[in-house]
């Protein structure tokens, strides 16, 4: 975005606006050419990564940026003319190589750091439910247990902990809760077979009457989905 801003400022100066004093016409045109070259090189690199490392992924912003960059590049080529371009080919190639090397180095560093996270191992720990259950939560938990409903979660999942706290300590002792990472998470750790077979897309996930509900749910939603009718008007 900064580069696009500089290109805009130089283009305005080229048309008579004194935004950057001290630059003659040739300086402005050469600077614009080199900036356009760097933008086109960067766009070409990003498109290469998109099509080789992220096959099947679409990026409207990337395509739009590439279109603008290549358009600016060809406009600058036409503006300077073939005769002058030949004098600056070496400089353009140098800029393109520098940009490509810088982007390659940045991409390699980023992917190396991401790969390093694969060695991370998180040992399992038990989360304590500190809240007290309401009568409604206890009644709902009994109903969910009676119809075979289950809550699938992970010990490291904050939303799972929020769901547990919403039910409260007494109700959670009644609910059928399945820990999907009983042996820990990270390198060499696998999700429990029951969780894999259920086809979970996130945590927590409720399975009620064969229906999957992803994310932490309000008690009223769980009551409605499970067909629970409370004798008490209290709901959370």
């Amino acid at each position: 975005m900064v580069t696009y801003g500089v290109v805009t400022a130089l283009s305005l100066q080229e048309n008579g606006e004194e935004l950057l004093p001290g630059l003659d016409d040739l300086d402005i045109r050469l600077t614009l050419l080199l900036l356009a070259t760097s933008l086109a090189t960067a766009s070409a690199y990003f498109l290469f990564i998109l099509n080789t490392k992220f096959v099947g992924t679409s990026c409207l912003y990337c395509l739009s940026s590439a279109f603008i960059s290549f358009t600016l590049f060809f406009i600058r080529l036409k503006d300077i003319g073939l005769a002058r371009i030949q004098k600056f080919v070496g400089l353009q190639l140098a800029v393109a190589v520098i940009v490509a090397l810088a982007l390659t180095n940045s991409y390699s560093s980023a992917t190396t750091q991401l790969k390093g996270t694969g060695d991370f191992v998180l040992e399992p720990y038990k989360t304590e439910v500190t809240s007290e259950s309401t009568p409604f939560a206890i009644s709902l938990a009994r109903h969910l247990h009676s119809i075979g409903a289950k809550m699938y979660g992970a010990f490291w999942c904050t939303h799972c902990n929020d769901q547990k706290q919403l039910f409260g300590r007494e109700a959670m002792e009644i609910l059928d809760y399945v820990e999907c990472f009983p042996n820990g998470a990270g390198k060499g750790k696998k999700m429990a077979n029951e969780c894999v077979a259920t086809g979970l897309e996130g945590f927590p996930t409720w399975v009620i009457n064969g229906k999957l509900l992803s994310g932490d749910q309000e008690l009223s939603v769980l009551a409605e989905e499970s067909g629970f009718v409370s004798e008490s008007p209290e709901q959370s």
Side-chain angles (χ1 to χ4, degrees):
M1 296 303 293
V2 174
T3 307
Y4 285 127
V6 174
V7 170
T8 301
L10 289 172
S11 298
L12 290 173
Q13 177 140 337
E14 186 180 22
N15 291 325
E17 300 287 342
E18 287 293 333
L19 299 178
L20 299 172
L23 294 177
D24 59 26
D25 183 65
L26 181 59
D27 290 335
I28 293 174
R29 292 190 176 192
L30 178 58
T31 303
L32 283 171
L33 175 63
L34 296 180
L35 287 174
T37 300
S38 65
L39 287 171
T41 303
S43 293
Y45 182 85
F46 292 142
L47 290 178
F48 171 76
I49 294 296
L50 182 66
N51 285 282
T52 56
K53 305 298 183 180
F54 301 94
V55 179
T57 302
S58 60
C59 176
L60 182 59
Y61 172 80
C62 302
L63 296 176
S64 300
S65 177
F67 175 78
I68 295 173
S69 298
F70 286 120
T71 300
L72 288 173
F73 177 69
F74 287 115
I75 288 176
R76 300 325 305 178
L77 288 180
K78 182 179 179 181
D79 178 64
I80 291 183
L82 182 60
R84 284 186 175 180
I85 285 294
Q86 293 176 349
K87 299 179 181 179
F88 305 122
V89 169
L91 190 55
Q92 282 184 276
L93 289 175
V95 169
V97 170
I98 291 172
V99 171
L101 289 176
L103 291 174
T104 300
N105 182 64
S106 298
Y107 179 76
S108 298
S109 299
T111 52
T112 299
Q113 291 176 1
L114 288 175
K115 289 179 180 178
T117 60
D119 296 330
F120 177 76
V121 174
L122 184 62
E123 296 299 330
Y125 57 85
K126 186 175 182 179
T127 55
E128 182 182 0
V129 181
T130 57
S131 61
E132 293 186 5
S133 300
T134 64
F136 177 80
I138 293 175
S139 297
L140 176 59
R142 288 172 178 163
H143 170 72
L144 292 171
H145 174 74
S146 69
I147 65 172
K150 292 183 179 181
M151 172 186 169
Y152 293 85
F155 65 91
W156 43 262
C157 168
T158 56
H159 290 289
C160 300
N161 188 53
D162 291 341
Q163 185 76 90
K164 293 176 182 178
Q165 298 294 346
L166 186 61
F167 267 96
R169 182 172 53 255
E170 297 83 3
M172 281 305 303
E173 293 177 355
I174 301 170
L175 282 171
D176 291 320
Y177 172 76
V178 179
E179 172 57 55
C180 290
F181 292 90
N183 299 317
K187 184 178 181 180
K189 305 295 184 180
K190 295 183 179 180
M191 186 186 296
N193 292 333
E194 182 179 350
C195 299
V196 175
T198 304
L200 307 179
E201 295 183 353
F203 301 108
T205 293
W206 287 89
V207 177
I208 302 176
N209 296 327
K211 180 179 179 180
L212 273 65
L213 298 176
S214 296
D216 47 334
Q217 307 290 331
E218 294 294 332
L219 300 189
S220 58
V221 173
L222 295 173
E224 181 178 354
E225 291 290 341
S226 64
F228 174 66
V229 179
S230 174
E231 297 179 357
S232 170
E234 177 190 5
Q235 294 189 21
S236 300

